[in-house]
DNA sequence: TATGAAAGACCGCTCCC
DNA sequence: GGGAGCGGTCTTTCATA
């Protein structure tokens, strides 16, 4: 994975687009003191370099009805069960993130649920129902005061 | 926080926009079998209801040079130190997420670093340098095989 | 090779049905 | 909710340094 070589122009463009993917090119051009054509060229270059992988709307999970956010540390009976367990977790739509980690757990997942009851259901009937999983440890998030992206 | 009342049209629109925030209204209209004007009305309604909070480009952190991702569980000397500690953590650009949690830790953060050395620096000289922090536990992520959003 | 200016195609917004 | 027209935005091309 080689890194893309950035100059300050690329960084400025990225910063703006990371807070608003629909910033007009003309405005980016004004902010950066270059022409809109140049903006277009740079964005296209970053897209092809795989730095920009797409655009998405930010959605308020709470307003979508997902009030409960939690992390679950998972220990496997056997490290070899990792790939298969991952596939089973992928099928659970409540599992929004998964990490393969060193430390106390083998797999670490983030789960979004509609309520505590829903979380219980996911945890007991879906996650812990996976045979390869030996034990789990749950961390309920009450607040998410910081949520941002890496700085270009 | 009341939930927005969704019908299937809203859900379809959201799903498309969550994978590509710049999907043309005309294409959304074709996919959903309604007119572009209707798409516009629905998106505007979701925006004003706070369901859609903005748009952003997805960026490949690795290509930006951030190769190391880790979670750090933090224990505070005193629960009252929480607000102040949070402000100090917010000033660290490597801290991309923070959660106030129940369970083993008081605060749980996600850190992105450019290298193991960089991570060490952040952990020792920045995070653990905060007086209110009693102890930390680090979980290094080797892979992030699942990373998606909640389903509308 | 990277940038800037201008023209054409496309899209989103608004109004009226 | 549907359809048409206007205004703005993106993309492309070509000239330039």
């Amino acid at each position: 994975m080689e890194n893309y070589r950035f100059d300050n122009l690329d960084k400025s463009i990225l910063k703006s687009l990371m807070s608003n993917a629909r910033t007009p090119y003309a405005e980016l051009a004004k902010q950066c003191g270059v022409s809109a054509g140049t903006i277009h060229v740079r964005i296209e270059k970053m897209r092809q370099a795989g730095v920009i992988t797409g655009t998405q709307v930010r959605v308020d999970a709470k307003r979508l009805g997902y009030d409960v956010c939690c992390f679950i540390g998972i220990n496997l009976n056997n490290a070899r069960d990792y790939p298969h367990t991952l596939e089973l977790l992928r099928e659970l739509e409540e599992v929004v993130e998964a990490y393969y980690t060193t430390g106390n757990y083998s797999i670490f997942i983030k789960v979004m649920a509609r309520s505590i009851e829903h979380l219980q259901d996911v945890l007991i009937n879906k996650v812990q129902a996976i045979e390869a999983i030996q034990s789990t440890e749950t961390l309920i998030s009450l607040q998410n005061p910081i949520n941002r992206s890496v700085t270009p």
Side-chain angles (χ1 to χ4, degrees), chain A:
Chain A
M1 185 81 60
E2 68 248 35
N3 299 339
Y4 178 79
R5 295 290 297 162
F6 283 95
D7 61 11
N8 289 331
L9 178 55
D10 293 311
K11 289 183 188 175
S12 298
I13 295 172
L14 260 195
K15 264 182 211 164
S16 294
L17 290 180
M18 282 165 73
S19 69
N20 178 10
R22 306 189 79 142
T23 314
Y25 288 14
E27 196 181 318
L28 291 173
K30 204 170 61 182
Q31 283 172 14
C32 301
V34 295
S35 80
T38 302
I39 299 292
H40 179 255
V41 170
R42 296 301 187 101
I43 291 179
E44 200 53 36
K45 214 160 54 171
M46 289 192 279
R47 194 180 297 278
Q48 282 175 12
V51 178
I52 294 176
T53 59
T55 63
Q56 61 185 14
V57 292
R58 266 192 305 271
V59 165
D60 186 329
K62 280 198 193 301
R63 307 232 184 203
L64 270 179
Y66 288 87
D67 277 314
V68 180
C69 166
C70 90
F71 291 93
I72 302 177
I74 296 175
N75 285 301
L76 298 176
N77 289 315
N78 194 312
R80 271 176 296 141
D81 296 329
Y82 169 67
H84 184 235
T85 305
L86 195 60
E87 287 322 302
L88 295 176
L89 289 172
R90 198 189 300 277
E91 288 168 18
L92 306 180
E93 65 172 25
E94 293 90 351
V95 176
V96 294
E97 298 174 23
Y99 302 86
Y100 181 50
T101 58
T102 67
N104 291 345
Y105 315 111
S106 309
I107 306 178
F108 195 68
I109 63 176
K110 179 176 175 177
V111 169
M112 298 292 294
R114 296 186 172 277
S115 61
I116 290 288
E117 291 73 30
H118 183 196
L119 175 62
Q120 268 185 16
D121 176 55
V122 172
L123 186 59
I124 297 175
N125 300 322
K126 296 182 176 174
V127 175
Q128 291 177 348
I130 297 174
E131 283 187 26
I133 293 181
Q134 187 192 68
S135 63
T136 62
E137 211 165 285
T138 304
L139 216 73
I140 294 191
S141 162
L142 302 176
Q143 268 184 45
N144 179 14
I146 300 178
N147 199 340
R148 57 192 178 194
S149 296
V150 292
T151 312

